[in-house]
Amino acid sequence: MSEMTLAKALNAGLRQSMERDSKVVLMGEDIGKLGGVFRITDGLQKDFGAHRVIDTPLAESGIMGTAIGMAYRGYRPVVEIQFDGFVYPAFDQIVSQVAKLHFRSLGRIKVPLTIRIPFGGGIGSPEHHSESPEAYFVHTAGLRVVAVSNPQDAYSMIQQAIACDDPVVFFEPKRRYHDRGEVDETVGLEGPGGLAMDAARVLTEGTDVTLVGYGPLAKTCLDAATAASDEGISVEAIDLRSLSPIDFGTIEASVRKTGRLVIAHEASQTAGLGAEIAASITERCFYFLEHAPVRVTGFDVPYPHSKLEFYHLPDLDRILDGVDRAMGRPNSLSGIEDGE
Amino acid sequence: MTAGHGGSPIQLLSPDGVRHPHERYDRFLADVDGRVEGADSAALLVSIYEDMVVARRIDAEGTALQRQGQLGLWPPFVGQEAAQIGSAHAIGPDDFIFPSYREIGVAYARGAELPDLVRQWRGNAHSGWDPFAMNMGPSQVVIGAQTLHAVGYAMGVLFDGAETAVVTYFGDGATSQGDVNESMVFAASFQAPVVFFCQNNQWAISEPVGVQAHVPIARRAPGFGISSVRVDGNDVLACLAATREALERARSGNGPSFIEAVTYRMGPHTTADDPTRYRDANELEDWKEKDPIARFEAYLASIGVVDDAVRARAAEKADSVAEAVREATIHMPDPEPESLFEHVYAGPQPVLERQRDHFERYRRGIEGGIGAGAATTAEGGR
């Protein structure tokens, strides 16, 4: 075991994958000598060469499209999108090409492509640098979508994503890049505790409310569980980890126990992941629910300028307020009918 | 400036079928010109001629099958046989092709199974042939997206140190797309062994090429550092020679090339299109005089390679291929309903499996009686 940041854990995981399989190549802007703007690929070009760590022209669709061609040729490309808000120029190549090639070719073409996207806010960036575009990709059949939240998962899940024969959109919580944690480097493809990347993890057990979060908010949800317990509420916090497919089994088992569900994410509310989880869990657990599922999310606004972003992002208090709503305790909507 | 890339396209066969010598390109036609010891130039020429005749017949059959309701759509390529067959005959079996949706002639020349030419147009799948069995990607509907795949594949070839080359086909409209321009940036930066083969058929549905480009399209590539040439796309020998030259450049480590084959789409964009709404009938008449097959046939007749027997044999082959296409289309079984859920992912996906399970239960329910009622209602109009 060694302590490292989430950023270093990703770097170590990439290195493991590149050593394991000579067909793994990294592609992206500034990922070579610079090591990426977040230094996730630091030192890899020096050790593996410019044909394994490829500095590309500044063209996101070009990066994605050529990575597909590399996959046709038998490579396993790992593409870095520099920031969440810059993935949109590559949107067609991702949703119309990457996601559909296996289906379109009747299973003949595999696209084992990993698309790394630093996502989420809270670091005081200018616009287009703090977005949470996961719902666009979750809505697209053919893609797997995961979000890591801690160094150990970052280390293992990046290796699992690269080894996966399906394309994986891999979200990295940029405001957690420098969070430190223990990483067992003997745990690679099998995941910590044998946990596959498409499984959710119960962070802390509880009996009153199920609280689901992912990526940057997994830690906030755990903090909320601790804070709630001081108020006598037993929260079961779940780190979703996989956004597509969603591990409904784990959430369902939890909600059958607690009868209440709160979902937190930074992305805007409308048609976000919270909506999908609320609807699916209501279908599956209707007779177990004591309260309608509650969403605590970013607002339906463009990602705001940094002086306002902390009002937009769900923080500990807003999540606790959501827990109070689910519990029927006094909350910000008290006196107003739910749903208004 | 590269010869033929700005003004009149390079032409080795004039519209009346006269072969003109060409200083730069004759060396790429030594075999078909009978200047290679042991090469059967007549057989080579006849195979090109037959492929063009058969391709045109497949196209006519596709259009007829669509009109008869057997195909949902068909993208005619009549008029583009020289560009497609000429280039296809230059491409080696190890080379990889990334086509658009209109390269049906290329796919035929490449050896596609005949049912695979119509499978997607009948709606049985989104593609036909096995890409790795014939080194040709599935047809691409998103305009220009495949050019990036071609460049990525070519980058892989480069990193592998292989001698394979890559050819990507696209139309004049595609040259306006970001992906095509980005693919040229990547190709030039990495010196990828790729050939950009643009069939400028003058029309992107209803938009004339002038809406896409203010100068000849071939002039765009040099701005990216890519050598380009403009050839007469109705001249099969010019298309063959230019593609061979570009492939030689790719294989010898000299990077990408761009070919603009100036041709004409004689039919509609697809069978859903009506070119009489936007196209002058005189234009079509003018281009008919430049017909690629008539031109090549006149040349072959003039050198004694084609006679009535060869014509009859080509026509017979075309008829039998068309018949086979028709039979394959009409007797193509519909895909099984449950196959809807296949190949979405390479591995299992539990949410999708749940939906498949639900669908199967629903289908079993229908067979148990609900379906009979629904059918009666539909048939009886009640």
Side-chain angles (χ1 to χ4, degrees):
Chain A
M1 296 281 267
S2 51
E3 197 185 79
M4 61 177 83
T5 62
L6 194 152
K8 281 283 182 211
L10 285 168
N11 180 277
L14 288 168
R15 180 178 291 277
Q16 279 291 323
S17 296
M18 295 182 78
E19 283 172 357
R20 183 181 294 119
D21 184 349
S22 64
K23 291 297 183 186
V24 174
V25 294
L26 314 187
M27 302 173 69
E29 298 157 8
D30 308 302
I31 67 167
K33 279 188 180 158
L34 182 66
V37 294
F38 291 106
R39 311 291 185 264
I40 305 301
T41 55
D42 190 29
L44 296 176
Q45 191 183 61
K46 184 168 75 62
D47 295 342
F48 291 96
H51 286 177
R52 300 280 311 275
V53 181
I54 304 163
D55 270 321
T56 65
L58 207 167
E60 283 77 10
S61 188
I63 296 167
M64 205 62 63
T66 52
I68 293 168
M70 295 282 286
Y72 265 98
R73 182 72 192 172
Y75 285 85
R76 283 186 179 273
V78 183
V79 161
E80 177 174 305
I81 294 294
Q82 205 155 67
F83 282 92
D84 34 55
F86 303 158
V87 72
Y88 306 120
F91 196 65
D92 171 67
Q93 286 288 346
I94 298 173
V95 303
S96 297
Q97 308 293 325
V98 174
K100 295 188 170 80
L101 259 176
H102 193 260
F103 185 76
R104 184 198 298 158
S105 68
L106 305 174
R108 289 150 172 163
I109 301 168
K110 289 192 169 51
V111 190
L113 176 59
T114 303
I115 303 166
R116 294 183 36 240
I117 307 178
F119 86 126
I123 62 166
S125 282
E127 64 177 336
H128 314 301
H129 289 69
S130 299
E131 306 194 357
S132 298
E134 59 270 20
Y136 297 117
F137 303 108
V138 170
H139 195 62
T140 300
L143 299 175
R144 293 179 187 273
V145 183
V146 301
V148 295
S149 66
N150 62 78
Q152 179 70 66
D153 275 351
Y155 176 75
S156 295
M157 285 168 70
I158 189 66
Q159 294 180 59
Q160 293 179 334
I162 292 168
C164 180
D165 277 338
D166 285 314
V168 180
V169 180
F170 191 91
F171 282 107
E172 303 168 2
K174 66 173 90 77
R175 75 169 133 133
R176 303 290 183 208
Y177 270 148
H178 302 297
D179 285 8
R180 305 183 75 84
E182 290 289 327
V183 175
D184 181 351
E185 288 178 82
T186 64
V187 172
L189 285 178
E190 67 276 25
L195 207 58
M197 69 172 183
D198 58 1
R201 175 193 280 120
V202 177
L203 297 172
T204 183
E205 293 191 10
T207 53
D208 293 333
V209 185
T210 300
L211 173 59
V212 176
Y214 55 87
L217 290 191
K219 180 178 183 298
T220 318
C221 288
L222 188 56
D223 292 346
T226 306
S229 78
D230 293 343
E231 297 178 26
I233 305 171
S234 172
V235 172
E236 180 146 302
I238 293 175
D239 179 0
L240 200 55
R241 297 169 90 246
S242 176
L243 316 187
S244 179
I246 289 172
D247 176 5
F248 284 115
T250 296
I251 307 173
E252 189 176 336
S254 177
V255 171
R256 280 171 183 255
K257 183 171 62 173
T258 63
R260 295 180 179 84
L261 174 64
V262 177
I263 310 128
H265 57 63
E266 290 189 7
S268 300
Q269 180 172 293
T270 298
L273 248 65
E276 177 55 46
I277 295 170
S280 286
I281 290 298
T282 302
E283 285 179 353
R284 293 172 189 234
C285 303
F286 184 68
Y287 293 107
F288 294 86
L289 285 169
E290 306 279 346
H291 189 278
V294 169
R295 289 172 287 170
V296 183
T297 70
F299 302 110
D300 287 357
V301 299
Y303 193 86
H305 19 292
S306 59
K307 295 290 188 197
L308 288 179
E309 67 178 335
F310 288 100
Y311 298 104
H312 174 72
L313 296 170
D315 59 7
L316 183 69
D317 289 334
R318 275 183 62 202
I319 292 173
L320 286 172
D321 183 62
V323 168
D324 284 340
R325 283 167 59 196
M327 291 295 292
R329 288 161 54 115
N331 64 77
S332 60
L333 295 179
S334 293
I336 306 173
E337 293 238 354
D338 257 9
E340 278 186 22
Chain B
M1 191 189 269
T2 313
H5 104 5
S8 38
I10 285 167
Q11 194 176 69
L12 307 180
L13 282 178
S14 56
D16 51 1
V18 176
R19 170 82 165 85
H20 297 286
H22 196 284
E23 198 180 341
R24 174 172 160 186
Y25 285 105
D26 280 354
R27 88 178 168 92
F28 295 101
L29 297 175
D31 55 348
V32 297
D33 281 346
R35 288 182 279 114
V36 173
E37 191 86 21
D40 186 344
S41 64
L44 284 169
L45 289 165
V46 167
S47 76
I48 294 171
Y49 169 71
E50 278 189 358
D51 278 359
M52 292 172 76
V53 171
V54 174
R56 179 166 291 188
R57 187 73 178 79
I58 290 171
D59 195 12
E61 198 64 31
T63 300
L65 284 164
Q66 192 280 332
R67 296 300 184 222
Q68 292 160 6
Q70 295 293 338
L71 299 178
L73 190 75
W74 182 257
F77 58 95
V78 61
Q80 299 179 219
E81 295 87 352
Q84 294 202 12
I85 303 300
S87 57
H89 272 255
I91 302 169
D94 289 341
D95 299 333
F96 209 101
I97 299 170
F98 287 88
S100 80
Y101 48 83
R102 204 182 294 280
E103 277 69 61
I104 294 163
V106 175
Y108 167 73
R110 194 77 177 161
E113 301 287 333
L114 297 178
D116 285 347
L117 297 177
V118 289
R119 197 173 302 282
Q120 77 180 114
W121 307 111
R122 188 162 168 84
N124 280 48
H126 287 323
S127 67
W129 54 84
D130 179 343
F132 299 106
M134 55 187 259
N135 280 352
M136 178 164 177
S139 71
Q140 173 66 260
V141 172
V142 177
I143 302 300
Q146 74 280 8
T147 59
L148 281 168
H149 308 167
V151 174
Y153 190 98
M155 287 164 62
V157 166
L158 201 66
F159 300 152
D160 291 344
E163 281 197 8
T164 306
V166 183
V167 180
T168 180
Y169 289 90
F170 52 96
D172 43 300
T175 62
S176 297
Q177 286 281 0
D179 277 358
V180 174
N181 289 272
E182 290 188 25
S183 71
M184 286 197 273
V185 172
F186 275 70
S189 295
F190 292 98
Q191 286 296 287
V194 62
V195 178
F196 295 95
F197 195 96
C198 174
Q199 293 180 78
N200 173 3
N201 70 13
Q202 312 300 321
W203 292 92
I205 308 189
S206 70
E207 295 188 2
V209 64
V211 175
Q212 319 295 338
H214 196 60
V215 297
I217 287 171
R219 276 200 211 164
R220 197 168 295 182
F224 292 94
I226 295 175
S227 168
S228 77
V229 65
R230 192 166 202 241
V231 301
D232 185 331
N234 284 17
D235 172 352
V236 71
L237 294 184
C239 293
L240 175 66
T243 311
R244 283 177 166 179
E245 180 191 52
L247 287 165
E248 180 187 87
R249 183 177 293 125
R251 288 202 194 90
S252 56
N254 290 310
S257 306
F258 188 105
I259 298 167
E260 177 191 0
V262 182
T263 181
Y264 192 74
R265 185 237 298 156
M266 288 184 173
H269 161 66
T270 68
T271 44
D273 173 38
D274 175 10
T276 64
R277 293 174 73 103
Y278 55 82
R279 205 161 71 170
D280 189 338
N282 292 331
E283 184 182 287
L284 181 60
E285 290 309 309
D286 289 348
W287 278 91
K288 276 183 179 166
E289 288 171 16
K290 302 174 189 169
D291 186 289
I293 297 181
R295 177 189 312 197
F296 191 46
E297 188 179 326
Y299 166 61
L300 296 182
S302 75
I303 59 171
V305 165
V306 157
D307 56 16
D308 284 344
V310 172
R311 284 191 192 93
R313 206 171 61 227
E316 196 180 319
K317 185 172 179 186
D319 284 345
S320 84
V321 167
E323 177 64 21
V325 167
R326 167 168 293 271
E327 287 296 307
T329 303
I330 291 169
H331 296 115
M332 193 174 287
D334 284 349
E336 291 299 318
E338 277 74 18
S339 71
L340 181 62
F341 297 92
E342 285 170 10
H343 310 306
V344 181
Y345 295 89
Q349 209 272 20
V351 174
L352 189 59
E353 282 173 4
R354 185 181 168 97
Q355 290 179 9
R356 182 213 300 256
D357 178 60
H358 187 178
F359 179 66
E360 283 169 359
R361 286 160 184 257
Y362 166 77
R363 296 248 319 141
R364 279 201 298 274
I366 278 195
E367 280 160 14
I370 305 166
T376 306
T377 305
E379 282 159 20
R382 277 178 272 139

